[in-house]
Amino acid sequence: MLAIRAFEAAARYEGFSAAAPELHVTAGAVAHQVRQLEKWLGVELFHRRPKGVELTNAGQLYLSRLQPLLEDLEQISREVRRDQLRTEVTIVAMPSVVSRWLMPCLGPFLQAHEQTDVRVVASVPPVHFVRDRVDVAIRPGNENYPGLRKRHLLQDRFVAVASPRYLAESAPLQRPGDLLRHTLLHDEFESLIPDQVDWKRWVRRHGTIELSQAAGAGPTYSHSYLTIEAALRGHGVALQSRVLVQNQIDTGELAIVLPDTETPGPYGLSLFTGVSPQPTPSVLDLVAWLVAEAQSFEENWNASPPPGVSGQTG
C-alpha cells in the first residue's frame, strides 16, 4: 500500500522530491517504494528525467486504473469513520412494542446519555438495516435475518386484562365460562401470527365448548396498542402480552382477570443488531441498556404477583 501511495503521489507531482512532503518521507524513500512496485509489476512506470519524472505508457495505464480505486477507498474510509463518530442511533420495533414497552423505559436512557440522539421508528414490516440506516431492531423471536446478530430480549406471557371500572360494573368473572357474559376485545395483528396466543387459541386451552363458539365475537382492532386502549377505556376484556400491559397493571389502570389462565407465548421478543460495520459506542450503550431493562422487567414480574390481580368482581 505504501508503494502504491508513493507511485500515485509521484505521478501527481511529477517528481519524487515534490511528493515526499505529502507522504512525510524523504525523496529517496519515495523513489525506493516506486522501484519496489516496478520490480513487482515487472515494468517501468516512470522515465527518470533530470528535473523530475514522466509516466511511461504502462505508468499512465496503471494510474488510470488505480485512481478510481483510491478514490473509492478514501470514500469508504470516510464513511466508516463517520459511522463510528456519529451519535445518532436508530431503533425499530412494532408500534405496540414502541408505545407500550420501549417508550416507558427509554426516558432514563436519554437522560443518562444526553449526547446520543435516538431515532425511534415504529414499523410492522421488517426493515432493511443498511438501506434504512437501522442500528437496532426489536422483532418477534420466531424471525431470523441473515447477516444480523440475534439475541433473546423478553419472554412472552399472555394474560386477560380489563379496567377496574369495567370489572366493577360488569358480571362476576371468576372462571373462564364467565367470559360468555363479557365483551372480548380482539387483536387482529396477533391472530395473523402463526401459533400466537389469541382468544380462539386461549379458549381451546382454558375454555368450554360454549365459550369456543362465542370466542370470535366482539370488536376487533388492527394493533395491540388499540386493543389495550379499548380495555383501558372499559370496553371489555383483552388478552394481551404482559410485555405490553405490565406498566398499566403496575399502576392499577388494568387488572389481571383469571390469573390461573396466564399462557406462555410461543415466541417472545428478540433484539437484532448489525454485524458489520462494528456497532458504534452509542449503539452498544443502547443495546446494553435494553438488555438490562428487559432482565429487570422479567425479574420484577417473576418475583411476585403484580398488583391488580382479580379473580372475581361483582
Side-chain angles (χ1 to χ4, degrees):
M1 191 64 188
L2 291 176
I4 290 175
R5 289 180 59 203
F7 163 74
E8 189 276 335
R12 190 157 28 88
Y13 286 103
E14 299 181 348
F16 299 148
S17 296
E22 179 179 307
L23 301 175
H24 304 289
V25 296
T26 65
V30 176
H32 174 74
Q33 290 292 337
V34 171
R35 280 196 300 272
Q36 291 294 106
L37 181 60
E38 289 176 323
K39 183 178 179 180
W40 184 74
L41 292 172
V43 296
E44 283 194 352
L45 298 173
F46 291 107
H47 297 299
R48 274 70 172 176
R49 308 297 188 195
K51 294 185 179 182
V53 295
E54 181 182 341
L55 286 168
T56 64
N57 290 338
Q60 291 175 358
L61 175 62
Y62 192 59
L63 182 65
S64 67
R65 300 291 180 85
L66 182 63
Q67 281 180 326
L69 298 178
L70 292 176
E71 291 171 0
D72 287 346
L73 181 60
E74 183 179 0
Q75 176 65 24
I76 293 170
S77 299
R78 281 199 301 265
E79 290 177 359
V80 170
R81 178 169 172 78
R82 181 189 64 206
D83 284 344
Q84 286 300 308
L85 293 177
R86 74 186 180 95
T87 58
E88 181 183 275
V89 179
T90 296
I91 179 169
V92 179
M94 292 170 293
S96 297
V97 175
V98 168
S99 64
R100 296 295 173 179
W101 185 78
L102 179 59
M103 296 306 291
C105 73
L106 198 56
F109 174 84
L110 297 177
Q111 292 179 352
H113 298 79
E114 294 181 354
Q115 77 285 1
T116 300
D117 297 322
V118 179
R119 174 172 170 256
V120 180
V121 178
S123 175
V124 173
V127 295
H128 193 286
F129 261 57
V130 176
R131 183 194 63 212
D132 301 323
R133 294 186 66 81
V134 173
D135 300 295
V136 184
I138 300 174
R139 300 291 304 174
N142 63 320
E143 297 181 1
N144 293 283
Y145 303 100
L148 298 183
R149 181 180 290 109
K150 175 182 179 180
R151 70 187 77 188
H152 169 77
L153 185 65
L154 284 162
Q155 60 182 316
D156 220 354
R157 284 149 55 178
F158 283 75
V159 289
V161 293
S163 73
R165 178 170 60 85
Y166 171 85
L167 294 173
E169 297 173 354
S170 303
L173 184 46
Q174 300 176 337
R175 56 187 63 86
D178 292 338
L179 287 170
L180 284 168
R181 293 178 288 173
H182 290 265
T183 301
L184 303 185
L185 307 177
H186 297 272
D187 191 320
E188 184 176 62
F189 180 72
E190 298 290 356
S191 66
L192 297 177
I193 302 175
D195 300 322
Q196 187 62 290
V197 179
D198 61 6
W199 276 121
K200 290 183 178 179
R201 296 185 181 98
W202 184 93
V203 165
R204 285 199 293 269
R205 183 167 182 169
H206 301 290
T208 63
I209 295 177
E210 293 80 11
L211 184 57
S212 66
Q213 295 171 347
T220 300
Y221 304 88
S222 61
H223 291 84
S224 300
Y225 68 89
L226 297 176
T227 311
I228 296 169
E229 184 63 28
L232 288 167
R233 293 178 177 272
H235 295 177
V237 183
L239 182 64
Q240 283 295 321
S241 163
R242 284 184 65 162
V243 172
L244 304 183
V245 296
Q246 189 62 47
N247 287 324
Q248 283 68 46
I249 293 170
D250 290 341
T251 61
E253 297 173 88
L254 291 174
I256 295 178
V257 297
L258 307 173
D260 292 340
T261 64
E262 184 171 305
T263 304
Y267 305 127
L269 293 173
S270 292
L271 191 69
F272 292 88
T273 54
V275 175
S276 179
Q278 182 70 21
T280 65
S282 295
V283 172
L284 295 176
D285 286 343
L286 179 59
V287 168
W289 183 278
L290 292 172
V291 171
E293 284 292 311
Q295 291 175 346
S296 176
F297 192 83
E298 289 186 343
E299 289 170 1
N300 288 341
W301 90 31
N302 287 327
S304 61
V309 172
S310 175
Q312 65 178 42
T313 62

